[in-house]
Amino acid sequence: MQEPTFLILAALAEQPLHGYGVIQAVAALSGGDVKLRAGTLYGALDRLDERGLIEVDREEAVDGRLRRYYRLTDSGAGALSAEIGRLRRNATAAEQQLRRRPQVSFGGGAA
C-alpha cells in the first residue's frame, strides 16, 4: 500500500471527512511530510471507493457547492489494520537488524 493511500485510510478511520478535511488530516498524521493536492486526493478517493475501502457518507451544499464526506468501510478498516501489522513487522525487523550492527569506534582509543 502506498503511503498516501495508507494515510487517507487512517484519516478516515475516526470519522467521515470531506476532501479538504482529508488533506488536513493527512498532513497532520504525517507531521507535514505528505501534502496531498486536490487532484491527487480526488483520484485516490475515487480508486478507494471503487475498491470498496471507502464510501460516500453524505453530501451537503455549502455556499452553492457540493461537499462530499467519505467514510471508511469495514473492508477499508480491515485493509488499514493489515497494513499497520505489515508496517509494524517490518519496523521490528529493521530495528533488530540495527541492534545487531557492530559498534565501530573512531578516533583510535582511550584518551
Side-chain angles (χ1 to χ4, degrees):
M1 183 180 292
Q2 299 285 330
E3 183 178 27
T5 300
F6 174 79
L7 291 169
I8 290 168
L9 295 178
L12 294 171
E14 183 179 351
Q15 65 184 351
L17 295 170
H18 55 77
Y20 185 66
V22 173
I23 289 171
Q24 291 179 307
V26 165
L29 286 167
S30 69
D33 290 341
V34 177
K35 296 176 179 111
L36 295 175
R37 294 184 177 181
T40 302
L41 172 67
Y42 288 106
L45 291 172
D46 287 343
R47 286 188 299 278
L48 292 170
D49 186 31
E50 288 171 8
R51 293 176 50 199
L53 301 179
I54 67 168
E55 62 188 10
V56 174
D57 181 69
R58 68 186 184 279
E59 295 176 337
E60 64 185 27
V62 177
D63 296 327
R65 294 179 51 159
L66 189 63
R67 181 179 286 175
R68 185 172 287 159
Y69 286 78
Y70 298 88
R71 71 178 178 91
L72 192 65
T73 63
D74 289 343
S75 180
L80 179 60
S81 181
E83 184 66 4
I84 290 167
R86 187 187 75 78
L87 291 170
R88 190 173 283 136
R89 285 188 306 276
N90 288 346
T92 298
E95 186 177 40
Q96 290 170 351
Q97 289 297 102
L98 188 57
R99 284 186 185 148
R100 292 185 190 120
R101 184 172 190 252
Q103 297 299 318
V104 179
S105 64
F106 296 96

